[in-house]
Amino acid sequence: MKQDYRLIVIGSGISGLFVALESRKLGPVLVLTKGSIEDCNTAWAQGGIAAAVGPLDSPEQHLADTIAAGAGLVDVAAARVLCYEAPSRIRDLVEYGVAFDSPGGELALGREAAHSRARVLHAGGDQTGAAIETTLAAAAATPGITILDHTIATGISTAGGAVTGVEAVDLAAGEGLSFEAPAVVIATGGAGWLYSHTTNPDVATGDGIALAYEAGAELADLEFYQFHPTAFRGDGAPPFLISEAVRGEGAVLRNAAGEAFMAGYHPLGDLAPRDIVARAIVAEMRAAGSENVFLDCTVARGVDLAARFPAIFAFCQGQGIDMRSAPIPVAPAAHYLMGGVRTDTFGRTTVPGLFAVGEAACTGVHGANRLASNSLMETVVFGKRTVECLGEAPRGAERDPRAIVDGVDGGPAPGHGTLQALMWDFAGIERSHEGLERALGTATGWANSPARPTREWHELREMGTLARLMLKAALLRTESRGAHYRSDYPEQDDRHWARRQVFRRGN
Ligand code: SIN
């Protein structure tokens, strides 16, 4: 059965819902989501959304911080768009009904690592993502937007190189579906589930990125995966982030011996850039032979922790920890993919009619290391601009003439229980030639898993495709920069590597 739409959006987080809402005036919009509507990274985002709206702040200062965090690889034009358009997009979200915390009528602005100003707006304390997701989901329940949940996209259809629609599977019925539209937006978020330890929900398997690649789009910056320093670490505990905003309020990391250690690693101490904090924690864990370090919140004086961080407080209580009096066991976990489907600043990929927004996309705005809370903001800034060009005749972004044209290798499909462990061990916080090469051989097999109409099999194939490219990108970049740390090439090498890597599929 074929059905026609003006636009198909794959993914139901902030990127997908915002684009659907903003574009519904152009014609019928279909949103496909493989879980239920609120199964997305957005709903788990705690810290907030960055915008230079404070009296002592400016977009230029926000831009400077974004560039500094990105370790020499930020696309400055894209970052300028992000930082200058951010305040207007906050106004849009407020118009949709997002209630940012404003005690006494003044917007509360939190502080996170590597920001030189307090500029992180939040809602419900540490429930910013959930507040945005709930608000946009309610708004999207409107004529003109059809949302199909438990429906997984399995292919982007093209004709003459341009997008014509999406192939999907209704997971409940096990039935194949075909939808036609002249424009498709990939808004499927990130890929934390490629790793054994992550702050992401289980839908974050990178499928949209792999689908775009298979449809001919270019992917960029795949070697840059951000590991959040402080995920809760406890036996049998589910993935759970302990927001950087907790350190922004004064909490301090301590090693197994109870010593505060970050001052010994970076002048910004506990609020140093994430890659530095994550590696410092790994070094402390290794030295002590421990599985975690501790986040001591008892030193966050004058902060009502239960009120400021209600979700974290409740989670810790559920794990038997009162964060007001006891330290929280934490360790790094996979958090955010800086790379993704290469787009221009209007969400255009290199395939006409195919767009990407949010974590699945790569405008180059984050470079080698994302500044905290720029991720929610990029979704609405570049989502708005994507909608601006949906009315035009579809045309793709320019291809990168230096793209690495990548063949599809052969190889058997092994069982999938070890993919995450493989990525964690060999493409995690520290990488080396030997480990990456070993992992690459195995990931290639996953990419060749047989297609079957179940979510698990589809995810396995797409995770294999993305893992293979991430490993290749990490193997090729023989230096350390931002979130990509090679133990065999520990220095940044600007002479050879002040450039981005782009992949395009060969025949
Ligand atoms: C956090 O709350 O620590 C995460 C925010 C982000 O990743 O931008």
Side-chain angles (χ1 to χ4, degrees):
M1 181 183 52
K2 280 206 187 286
Q3 292 173 33
D4 293 357
Y5 291 91
R6 177 64 188 83
L7 173 68
I8 300 172
V9 179
I10 309 175
S12 63
I14 179 173
S15 306
L17 294 181
F18 188 76
V19 167
L21 283 161
E22 292 282 314
S23 59
R24 67 194 192 282
K25 55 187 179 284
L26 300 172
V29 178
L30 173 66
V31 178
L32 299 175
T33 179
K34 67 181 175 183
S36 58
I37 186 167
E38 71 281 1
D39 288 335
C40 55
N41 249 330
T42 302
W44 288 29
Q46 296 177 354
I49 181 163
V53 293
L56 302 176
D57 204 357
S58 69
E60 202 57 30
Q61 191 57 49
H62 187 185
L63 177 63
D65 292 347
T66 300
I67 294 171
L73 283 196
V74 166
D75 181 314
V76 175
R80 188 172 293 283
V81 166
L82 177 83
C83 299
Y84 276 82
E85 295 185 11
S88 306
R89 297 295 78 78
I90 291 292
R91 282 193 283 280
D92 290 350
L93 289 173
V94 169
E95 269 172 34
Y96 277 115
V98 177
F100 290 107
D101 294 335
S102 311
E106 289 235 342
L107 269 177
L109 296 172
R111 181 96 193 262
E112 288 185 61
H115 284 276
S116 59
R117 302 279 188 279
R119 66 164 71 94
V120 181
L121 289 84
H122 46 84
D126 56 2
Q127 299 166 96
T128 314
I132 294 175
E133 182 66 18
T134 312
T135 306
L136 296 187
T142 181
I145 300 179
T146 305
I147 298 177
L148 289 185
D149 58 8
H150 302 288
T151 303
I152 191 164
T154 53
I156 311 290
S157 323
T158 56
V163 159
T164 56
V166 171
E167 297 299 314
V169 171
D170 172 341
L171 293 169
E175 185 191 330
L177 304 168
S178 264
F179 303 100
E180 288 192 355
V184 171
V185 176
I186 305 280
T188 47
W193 273 65
L194 282 176
Y195 290 95
S196 344
H197 299 286
T198 180
T199 60
N200 295 181
D202 68 358
V203 288
T205 53
D207 350 356
I209 302 170
L211 286 181
Y213 174 74
E214 283 152 11
E218 290 179 350
L219 307 186
D221 295 353
L222 296 176
E223 63 273 43
F224 298 115
Y225 201 98
Q226 185 170 76
F227 295 86
H228 196 290
T230 58
F232 188 90
R233 184 65 73 87
D235 274 349
F240 192 82
L241 177 70
I242 306 296
S243 175
E244 204 160 59
V246 181
R247 276 174 286 136
E249 296 287 0
V252 163
L253 286 161
R254 296 189 187 278
N255 61 19
E259 297 152 352
F261 56 84
M262 270 316 301
Y265 287 88
H266 195 275
L268 290 172
D270 289 274
L271 286 180
R274 282 188 185 168
D275 56 312
I276 291 167
V277 183
R279 281 199 296 280
I281 291 176
V282 168
E284 293 292 324
M285 283 163 46
R286 199 171 277 152
S290 60
E291 290 293 308
N292 57 271
V293 294
F294 294 96
L295 187 63
D296 176 4
C297 308
T298 62
V299 287
R301 304 220 182 279
V303 183
D304 179 346
L305 294 167
R308 174 68 181 89
F309 302 110
I312 296 173
F313 184 79
F315 179 87
C316 290
Q317 290 277 70
Q319 299 293 321
I321 294 165
D322 183 337
M323 67 192 278
R324 293 172 298 195
S325 53
I328 306 173
V330 292
H335 185 57
Y336 185 91
L337 178 60
M338 266 72 73
V341 188
R342 192 171 82 79
T343 70
D344 63 13
T345 57
F346 290 92
R348 283 186 286 239
T349 73
T350 46
V351 175
L354 185 63
F355 299 82
V357 177
E359 189 173 349
C362 179
T363 55
V365 81
H366 306 305
N369 198 21
R370 178 179 61 90
L371 187 67
S373 292
N374 269 355
S375 45
L376 285 178
M377 182 47 76
E378 77 171 320
T379 66
V380 283
V381 166
F382 296 108
K384 186 92 170 186
R385 292 166 69 90
T386 295
V387 174
E388 271 174 37
C389 64
L390 281 176
E392 301 167 6
R395 77 182 160 88
E398 267 181 41
R399 283 183 160 200
D400 187 328
R402 295 157 308 173
I404 300 162
V405 179
D406 177 60
V408 180
D409 311 329
H416 62 277
T418 52
L419 174 65
Q420 294 163 329
L422 190 83
M423 290 296 283
W424 182 257
D425 288 345
F426 300 120
I429 297 167
E430 286 183 13
R431 295 113 182 247
S432 71
H433 179 93
E434 200 192 351
L436 289 165
E437 196 157 65
R438 187 164 143 203
L440 184 58
T442 314
T444 300
W446 276 297
N448 292 313
S449 306
R452 293 189 191 152
T454 68
R455 175 168 158 182
E456 289 69 27
W457 275 95
H458 177 72
E459 285 179 346
L460 179 61
R461 270 171 71 90
E462 305 305 22
M463 285 163 81
T465 298
L466 184 56
R468 190 177 67 78
L469 292 166
M470 286 166 66
L471 290 161
K472 251 189 178 173
L475 194 57
L476 288 171
R477 185 173 284 278
T478 47
E479 65 153 357
S480 292
R481 181 185 295 271
H484 170 71
Y485 181 78
R486 288 275 302 251
S487 54
D488 46 355
Y489 293 94
E491 302 301 327
Q492 186 165 314
D493 175 3
D494 284 331
R495 199 162 144 245
H496 300 103
W497 282 109
R499 60 191 169 96
R500 301 170 65 195
Q501 297 192 91
V502 175
F503 286 87
R504 184 189 316 137
R505 187 180 170 138
N507 288 325

